[in-house]
Every structure is written in structure tokens, then in C-alpha cells.
Amino acid sequence: MTDLLAARAQMAMSLAFHIIFAAVGIAMPLLMVIAEGLWLKTREEVYLRLAKQWAKGTAIMFAVGAVSGTVLSFELGLLWPNFMAYAGPIIGMPFSLEGFAFFLEAIFLGLYLYGWDRIPKYAHWFAGMMVLLGGTFSGIFVVTANAWMNTPTGFSIVDGKVTNIDPIAAMLNPSSFSQALHMTIAAFLAVGFAVAGIHAYFLRRDPNNLFHRRAFAIALSVGGVFALFQPISGDISAKRLAKYQPIKLAAMEAQWETERGAPLRIGGIPNEEAEETRYALEIPKALSFLAHSDFNAEIMGLKEVPRENRPPVAIVHFAFQMKARQQFGVDSVGHLGRSHFIF
């Protein structure tokens, strides 16, 4: 158990570090492409300066993200060898496709960084678009591998061995769309508002600075637009969770009893021994509505699940309340049970 916790802690640290650079690598190209597109349209020099400045930041984050991502690829094999031996043939395809997307991004990022005044202006802008697409699809392919751990499909088990592998079905599992959509929107949203906040800070010191005013307007617009779509993707994710992973939903919401018209809990402290959640603010019937679009829909409670197959309820509940995003490891426990994959 000590080795398991150490492996999880190391993987969690690496993921927490990498996800920052991965999100920036997905979203920053959009900002620089918008800035260059506005320069091509208006010929205002401030947009060109902005595109070049954001391109430098994109290059730095891409380099650090590539290194931290390489560390993760080694950790998958070194820390979880049994899991990768078991699942590698099934979910190897999205990792391979992520490699193609990465190299696509790297090639066109090189053209973008060193192509100023060397290639036609619209060809240069097109290179930026390809950087954007490469980064976005790179993230999507990796998320589909995580999604498979939540809803594993595309294989059969015969006599304890994996057979009849369908890598397309595995990659396009029931969780792929909702998780990829939610993560991609989150990257654009978070980076847009973060960049807007940075330029807002400088605007407070120099309100008339045109460079920061234009940058703030672009970044805030990107963050604002994607903020409108994120609740929709969250609703899709909630309904997918209720359908395919009711145990995880029950743990996230600290729902112990199976009931119709289940309440949505804000806060609260789950007591796993007493099987109750204390001090929570409950919104009547809201969980049933969010999960099934029906105020009287039935929500399964944790008491229907043997204790040994339950996720660690307190951790999952608190993490969800803080909007923490788990990527690997215990993320699949709620659906599969602890006995299915021994990492």
C-alpha cells in the first residue's frame, strides 16, 4: 500500500505540474492567431506586437509542457506497469495519435516563430492555426485515454485475457465526448481569464497603454465566450456520470441513500463510518434534476455498494466541491471497483 500511495503521489505531482502547461499550450495559440488575424485585417501595429509577444510565451510553455509530458509517459510504464501491460494494447491508439498531433504542432510552431517576413502573411497565419489545431487535438487524444478508464469499451475478456480489441471503440468510449469537451473548453476559459488578469494588472498601472488594452480585450473575450459554453458541457458530463458511473456520482455528492428527488449538497462533511453527511446545505430535488432532467428521478446511494468497492467518499466529495480535476489513478475507481485494475 505504501508503494501504491507513493506512485499515486508522484503521478499526481507530475500531472498537477503538467496540466498548467498543457492548458496554456492548448489556449495560447488561439490568442496569438486572433491577434495576428486582427493585424492582417486592420494593419494596426499593436496587434502584430501582441501576436509576437504571445507567440514567445506559447513557445516557452510548449517546451516546458513537452518535457513534463515526457516525464508522464515514462511514469505510466514505470509506476503502473501491470496496468499498462493490461490496458496498453487497448488504449495505445490515442497515445499514438497524440504523438502525431504533437509533432504537427511542433512543426508549425517552428514555422510560425521563424517565418515572420519569410513566408506569405496568410501562410504564416495558417501556420498559427495549425499550431492551435495540433495543441487542441493533442489534449483531446490524451483525455480519451482517461475517459476509457471511466467507461472501458472496445475489448472482451476471455479466460482472464483481453481479446477482440477494437481501438476505435476504446477511444470513442461513452465518456470521450463529454470529458474532451469539458477539458478543452476549460483550457480556453481558464487561460483566457488568466491572461486577461495579467494585462488588467498592467492596465491599472497604466490605463492608457494601448498594448495592454487590446490584449485585455482579446483575452477577456475568449474567456467570456467559453465561459458561456462550460455550464452546458458540465451538464452533459453530469448526465453521462449519472448514466455510466452512478457510484462516482453518489461519492461526489455524498449521497448515501437511494432516493427519488435527491437533493444537491453544497459543502458538508461525509462520515463514512456512520454513512451520513453532516452540515451540508441541501437544495431539494436539484441533484435528480441535474442528473436526469427530472426532479423526481432516482439517484443511487452508496449504501447499495459494498464498502470495499466504494471510492474514498470524503476525498472525492471535497475534491469535487473544490472543482478539483482528477486525471488518472483513482479516477476510475467509482465505476470499476478497486478489484478490477491493480496498478
Side-chain angles (χ1 to χ4, degrees):
M1 191 62 179
T2 301
D3 291 341
L4 175 62
L5 291 176
R8 282 179 170 173
Q10 185 172 342
M11 196 76 179
M13 179 68 72
S14 300
L15 284 165
F17 183 83
H18 176 70
I19 192 62
I20 298 172
F21 301 101
V24 174
I26 291 172
M28 278 301 295
L30 177 60
L31 299 180
M32 73 183 192
V33 163
I34 292 175
E36 186 178 6
L38 290 171
W39 173 68
L40 291 172
K41 181 179 180 180
T42 65
R43 297 298 174 176
E44 290 187 34
E45 195 69 20
V46 65
Y47 289 123
L48 179 61
R49 287 174 49 216
L50 191 53
K52 290 184 176 181
Q53 198 72 19
W54 278 341
K56 293 178 182 178
T58 299
I60 294 171
M61 293 298 180
F62 174 83
V64 178
V67 174
S68 60
T70 302
V71 171
L72 283 168
S73 67
F74 280 103
E75 286 179 340
L76 282 172
L78 293 174
L79 300 179
W80 315 107
N82 292 340
F83 171 71
M84 291 308 295
Y86 190 91
I90 307 172
I91 58 173
M93 183 175 175
F95 286 117
S96 299
L97 292 175
E98 190 275 335
F100 282 105
F102 170 81
F103 285 113
L104 177 73
E105 183 182 9
I107 291 168
F108 280 99
L109 182 60
L111 290 173
Y112 193 86
L113 293 173
Y114 299 102
W116 297 101
D117 301 323
R118 290 183 175 88
I119 59 177
K121 292 180 175 57
Y122 282 95
H124 185 270
W125 183 77
F126 175 78
M129 289 291 294
M130 296 305 293
V131 173
L132 171 63
L133 289 176
T136 301
F137 278 102
S138 181
I140 289 173
F141 288 134
V142 170
V143 171
T144 61
N146 178 72
W148 178 86
M149 293 198 295
N150 289 267
T151 49
T153 55
F155 67 101
S156 301
I157 298 179
V158 179
D159 296 328
K161 296 183 179 179
V162 175
T163 60
N164 301 323
I165 295 174
D166 184 346
I168 300 294
M171 187 173 68
L172 301 180
N173 61 83
S175 297
S176 290
F177 174 75
S178 62
Q179 290 195 14
L181 179 67
H182 199 64
M183 179 61 223
T184 303
I185 293 176
F188 288 114
L189 185 159
V191 174
F193 283 135
V195 173
I198 292 171
H199 290 285
Y201 169 78
F202 288 107
L203 275 177
R204 286 180 61 86
R205 303 175 64 182
D206 183 7
N208 296 318
N209 188 301
L210 185 61
F211 178 85
H212 292 299
R213 289 179 68 88
R214 293 287 190 267
F216 175 77
I218 294 172
L220 186 64
S221 297
V222 169
V225 168
F226 283 98
L228 297 175
F229 292 106
Q230 190 66 313
I232 299 174
S233 75
D235 183 66
I236 295 172
S237 295
K239 289 176 170 55
R240 192 275 311 169
L241 195 69
K243 181 177 180 180
Y244 294 101
Q245 295 179 279
I247 303 173
K248 182 190 283 187
L249 177 64
M252 289 165 57
E253 298 294 344
Q255 177 73 27
W256 298 98
E257 301 288 346
T258 297
E259 62 179 314
R260 293 186 175 276
L264 180 70
R265 293 176 179 82
I266 300 176
I269 301 176
N271 186 324
E272 297 188 47
E273 292 300 321
E275 296 185 326
E276 62 180 5
T277 303
R278 301 169 181 170
Y279 313 118
L281 174 63
E282 297 187 353
I283 304 175
K285 300 188 177 184
L287 180 57
S288 291
F289 178 76
L290 291 174
H292 298 287
S293 299
D294 180 357
F295 285 109
N296 295 310
E298 183 176 275
I299 300 295
M300 190 186 80
L302 287 165
K303 288 184 178 181
E304 291 195 23
V305 184
R307 286 180 179 268
E308 63 272 16
N309 288 334
R310 295 176 189 173
V313 182
I315 294 175
V316 174
H317 178 69
F318 291 139
F320 179 68
Q321 291 288 314
M322 294 184 295
K323 302 300 182 184
R325 304 297 297 174
Q326 296 177 338
Q327 294 299 316
F328 288 98
V330 296
D331 201 28
S332 59
V333 170
H335 177 71
L336 298 174
R338 300 186 184 200
S339 60
H340 283 66
F341 290 129
I342 305 301
F343 293 165

